[in-house]
Amino acid sequence: MIFSEQWLREWVSPDLETQQLIDELTMAGLEVDGATPVARQCSGIVVGLVESVEPHPDADKLSLCSVSDGTESFQVVCGAPNVRAGLKVPFAKLGAEIIEAAGAKPFKIKKAKIRGIESNGMLCSSEELGLEESSDGLLELFPDAIVGEDIRSCLQLDDTSIELDLTPNRGDCLGMIGLAREVGVIARKDVKPLDFPMPVESITDEFEVRISAKDACPRYLGRVIKNINLNCESPLWMKEKLRRSGLRSIDPVVDVTNYVLMELGQPMHAFDLAKLEGHIDVRFAKQGEQLELLDGKEIELTPETLLISDASKPVAIAGIMGGMETAVSDQTEHVFLECAFFAPLAVAGKARSYGMHTDASHRYERGVDYQLQQTAMHRATQLLLDICGGDAGPITEAVGNLPEPIEINLKHSSISSLLGIQMDKKEVRDILGRLGFGLAADETEVLRVSVPSYRFDVSIEADLIEELARIYGYNNLPQTGGLGNQCLSSKPESHIALSQIRQQLVALGYQEVVTYSFIEPSLADMLFPEQHGVSLQNPISADMAVMRTSILPGLISTLKYNENRQIERIRIFESGLVFERSGDEIKQTAMLSGLVSGNKMPINWSNNKDLSDFYDLKGDVELLLALGLEADKYSFVSAEYACFHSGQCARIEREGEVVGYIGALHPAMQRKLGITGNCYMFEVKLAPLQERRLPAASALSKFPEVSRDLAILIDSNYTSSEVLANVRENAGEHLTDLRIFDVYQGDAVAEDKKSLALGLTWQHPSRTLSEDDINTIISKCVNGLQDKFNANLRN
């Protein structure tokens, strides 16, 4: 929320400088994000009166003006299209200075000749004063502005726009009245009561209102105002207050509703009465209903959406935005003004589900005072009548199921035990009273506190104590050490901590990244077309609308981001949950994913420039699998899967169960995504990785090892894992090591064959293995390879 410091001081005037006020607000839990002056620094600019206007003799678009500063008249050449006699405007006299930015050199007004005519000063637009980014003409001041008065005093330009970053529970501070209440408590100052003349009901016209959704809309007020004049303009003071609060002036009706929004925190809306039919009904949408909104977007409404409708059609999304068909226009003569209280849960998330966020939805989602609607309606009516004229009818009200008032018992002993201080009972009553809390009962040790209708965040005793701590000052609370029983949790040896897996990857040169669990639907469909992600009802944005079914889209997006910034070598990993729908439930699985691209080694004079390949990544994954001392249970099987290259993809199996995939990104996907470098990636379930076989001790054999090498010719389509599994099956229980130490494909073997060189090592625990023992085992291994793979020994 952005607010004007001067506007705040109209409600309550604390004895605090601007920076002190900012600090106090922040320490009270209303964090200040920033503060900016409302206008440029300037001097020598006064209210000027244009006495006469004549055409410039040598320029069609310039005028010769006689301008008075209250004591004398000056000739000024002006090119603004709206200059005219009788107009009061900012007049920069000779010697006036305007500083366009902090630290910049001042722009000084000097006597000049424009097309041969002397000009003694400058008439200013709002852009030149720094009030707006652009302007089409002079800033027209209000008629009762005092000629000759300093413009900074006239427009109260010694002001600061302060931006608050409010937490979602403090919806009561989204209006000046709530913010003033907080400052009044902090500074121990009284807040000015809201005082304005009540509007006169000069007609009896009413428009019927109904509430079908009584829980979602506990209160709805409407009022008919006829014969308004929309050709008038909002007063400058209102435009300025809105501008300094981050809102631009649109037309008198919208400006009035926005002014009440900022002043009281109550959203309002105005309909063109002539475009409404029959009655107003607050109900939920029907399947298939559509509505064109004020921003021109046409949407299809869902049954969970709360609507404002007339007898024949929807006219607005309740608490979010009005419809175009019933919008107020230049031709509008009669309006229907609405003011309502919508339950926060009925509005929460609905704006985001349609890709919107409005000032009204921002407030209704956090909770609006359900006792404020009558006051807001009277305030808006009187402002509208003052600006546009017209005749107001009586208020028509419909009431649903209003919230029940809340009362909370506050024990004085709880204050001291939770805050560590003895707070005087009188001070407790004063703080709570200034915050708007009532005292239903005041006993010796217990206060019965009634919660005001605008505080949706207070429901238990701890909430009241937090309010006391805020106002008392967190810095004033004593620092005490916490006391509590501490016990160390046991860590089973059979479980590998995620931190250990992360450390292993970091040691291998990877960097951990954290990406969103929400991803772009089109990217998810491209990479994993057979997996259907869980769609979000209220996504943050359209490109974060589904829950990820894999971590890889996030890693690929990270690769693309870094490639675009000339990062050539990338090794990243991430652990987290993926989400898939299983019937009516959403299944969450912890996964570990990694991606490599670019060179195998960092660029260095002693390193080669070989690119990373499939086997580099496979080696890293095998090291992770070895952490559990069960690497022999895993196998890599050629596969085709999702976005992986069909010729360079393998599924990772553990005793027949698929636990992950590894491979290269498909070239077609690389081209679509604009990725130029090589890209290899893996994704495995985290649970099997974290299982560890407990080590078992056994006596070392005193007898020597025996090693033999085998060279076999085999069809090239067989994998190494198949060959090794067959050899292990036939090599006996005393085999201690088995490895492939050479692979050959070339002129010396047939084109569809390959030569594998195997190294086998045995060791018996109680005797030395004889030559006959080894020859028997070798024969069995060779026969097994011949039977299954038609392999032959290579000479």
Side-chain angles (χ1 to χ4, degrees), residues 501 505 510 550-552 555 572-574 591-596 617-618 620-621 624 636 644 650 652 660-664 680-685 689:
I501 297 173
L505 284 166
Y510 289 77
S550 166
I551 299 175
L552 293 178
L555 296 185
I572 54 177
F573 77 94
E574 180 178 3
M591 304 292 286
L592 177 71
S593 300
L595 181 148
V596 299
L617 186 63
K618 180 172 179 283
D620 294 341
V621 173
L624 293 178
F636 294 79
F644 288 88
I652 305 170
Y661 288 89
I662 181 175
Y680 297 91
M681 51 200 184
F682 73 86
E683 184 163 57
V684 294
K685 293 179 181 177
L689 276 181

Side-chain angles (χ1 to χ4, degrees), residues 515-521 523-524 534-551 553-554 557 574 577-579:
T515 63
Y516 284 107
S517 298
F518 322 122
I519 59 175
E520 187 177 355
L523 180 62
V534 180
S535 298
L536 299 176
Q537 291 185 348
N538 54 335
I540 298 172
S541 62
D543 58 353
M544 301 176 72
V546 296
M547 302 293 288
R548 64 186 181 191
T549 56
S550 166
I551 299 175
S557 296
E574 180 178 3
L577 295 175
V578 299
F579 308 85

Side-chain angles (χ1 to χ4, degrees), residues 630-651:
E630 293 185 322
D632 56 321
K633 291 186 177 182
Y634 292 90
S635 60
F636 294 79
V637 183
S638 179
E640 293 185 9
Y641 180 66
C643 59
F644 288 88
H645 192 331
S646 56
Q648 297 186 54
C649 174
R651 65 176 177 268

Side-chain angles (χ1 to χ4, degrees), residues 101 133 165-166 319 408 568 679 684:
E133 291 185 2
D165 183 14
L166 295 173
I408 305 170
E568 297 179 353
C679 176
V684 294

